[in-house]
Amino acid sequence: MNEDYILIRFGEISTKGKNRKLFVDRLKRNIKMVLRDFRNVRYESTRDRMTLVLNGEDAEAVMARLKNVFGIQSFSLAVKCRTDLESIKETALASVQEQYKPGDTFKVSTKRAYKQFELNTNEVNAEIGGHILRNTDDLTVDVHSPDIHLRIEIREDATYLTFRDEKGAGGLPVGSGGKAMLMISGGIDSPVAGFYAMKRGLEIEAVHFFSPPYTSERAKQKVIDLTKRLTAFGGDIKLHIVPFTKTQELIQKQIPENYSMTATRRLMLQIADKLRERHNALAVFTGESLGQVASQTLESMYAINAVTSTPVLRPLIGMDKTEIIEKAKEIDTYDISIRPYEDCCTIFTPSAPKTRPKKEKIEHFESYTDFEPLINEAVENTETIVLSSKAETKDQFADFF
Ligand code: ATP
Ligand code: MG
């Protein structure tokens, strides 16, 4: 029996009222985007779900991609048959025979979208269950926790049979909630923050501060690889690489050492905010969590955040490092993040940064220097590359370097 269909059920979006169509359209687009290199897949959709016709494409590979798409509640491999009782009986029995082991239990549940069908749902359950029982050995019914849960969905044009529900990623379709900039560092935290931004339906563009020759090409490559990994959750992502060397050198020269980190963060945020404006985004995301390091005390956040009134969102704020690491492993960014290359902040980090910097003091220290020209220069010289969610090919990488 060929399970040549995948039924995809939409999640939270089914309750979104008037915006529903927008959300659903976006989700359908995102699904097609992550599956675009499976050329034979065909799409059929109705109001509350989508059906993929695999046409010979590898079901496991397609399902692995679907697992990452926000807005999907669950999906299942399905067999399709004609909407008539004989055909349903035959298909159900054949599928069960193919997969059960002696001693297994099963259950049948039926949903009838096509109300004119000759039997009601209870009658279908009884009819199909009885037919399976009569024609198998050592298989019994268990309605509470069956080994095999056969779901039958009767529609006018066709009937679908599924056996196993895969949990989807939940959340909202990427792009349905607008756009934000993600400050991405090459560390463990910021890619996880990006994941959460996307989970709530945001499209992200990543911003990375790069300080050659203090930081190496390999540190940059690490950020490219991390951003590329995040495309699995929502399609192509733009990565803006900001040349930050001159600014950092000027900070070293002009700002007292124990405040240099505060100044660095303030300047990064100002530049990220300019890029945000330029690219029509409405918020900045960071991987900060409260209390982790000197720059992440509440006093520090207050002094850094004072440079802008744009929302700076920190989805990891309440998480412990171990929880963040767990998530990073789950979304496959951890192995890239722990590659040893230094990032620009690590290198310039003073031995004793102020853990309780005062906003008035940093403003005072900064007031002796005009950073504005360097901020503008950094924005102007930012290099933008687009990371694609498509499976990598050599040609594609040739475009980047
Ligand atoms: P991460 O693991 O994300 O680097 P962290 O715990 O090491 O976080 P910091 O290095 O203090 O913390 O960075 C805090 C946040 O500032 C990062 O999560 C990121 O959002 C931003 N950030 C730090 N360095 C950079 C950089 N070079 N480019 C862009 N953003 C950065
Ligand atoms: Mg870091």
Side-chain angles (χ1 to χ4, degrees), residues 314-325:
R314 303 171 174 91
L316 313 187
I317 199 72
M319 290 171 80
D320 296 341
K321 193 75 189 185
T322 49
E323 293 171 305
I324 299 170
I325 287 174

Side-chain angles (χ1 to χ4, degrees), residues 182-193 207-211 223 244 261 265 268 285-289 292-296 316 321 324 337 343-346:
L182 169 69
M183 293 180 66
I184 190 163
S185 67
I188 294 167
D189 304 337
S190 37
V192 178
V207 179
H208 177 65
F209 293 86
F210 179 55
S211 300
V223 173
F244 199 50
M261 196 209 34
R265 294 308 162 119
M268 279 184 173
F285 273 71
T286 78
E288 291 163 306
S289 119
Q292 219 183 62
V293 288
S295 62
Q296 298 177 18
L316 313 187
K321 193 75 189 185
I324 299 170
S337 290
D343 97 2
C344 62
C345 297
T346 330

Side-chain angles (χ1 to χ4, degrees), residues 207-215 220 240-249 267-268 271 275 344 373-384:
V207 179
H208 177 65
F209 293 86
F210 179 55
S211 300
Y214 305 105
T215 51
K220 177 167 154 189
H240 306 284
I241 298 180
V242 183
F244 199 50
T245 314
K246 283 189 190 167
T247 312
Q248 282 200 304
E249 285 171 346
L267 283 151
M268 279 184 173
I271 294 168
L275 288 166
C344 62
L374 276 189
I375 293 177
N376 292 330
E377 192 184 318
V379 169
E380 289 312 320
N381 293 328
T382 291
E383 173 202 6
T384 299

Side-chain angles (χ1 to χ4, degrees), residues 188-250:
I188 294 167
D189 304 337
S190 37
V192 178
F195 168 86
Y196 282 116
M198 293 162 95
K199 182 164 186 194
R200 294 316 297 170
L202 302 186
E203 175 190 351
I204 56 169
E205 292 190 12
V207 179
H208 177 65
F209 293 86
F210 179 55
S211 300
Y214 305 105
T215 51
S216 65
E217 276 302 312
R218 286 199 278 186
K220 177 167 154 189
Q221 186 59 42
K222 190 175 162 184
V223 173
I224 291 174
D225 293 348
L226 283 170
T227 308
K228 168 97 190 154
R229 203 48 70 83
L230 288 177
T231 63
F233 301 99
D236 301 359
I237 300 179
K238 280 187 187 148
L239 169 63
H240 306 284
I241 298 180
V242 183
F244 199 50
T245 314
K246 283 189 190 167
T247 312
Q248 282 200 304
E249 285 171 346
L250 191 62

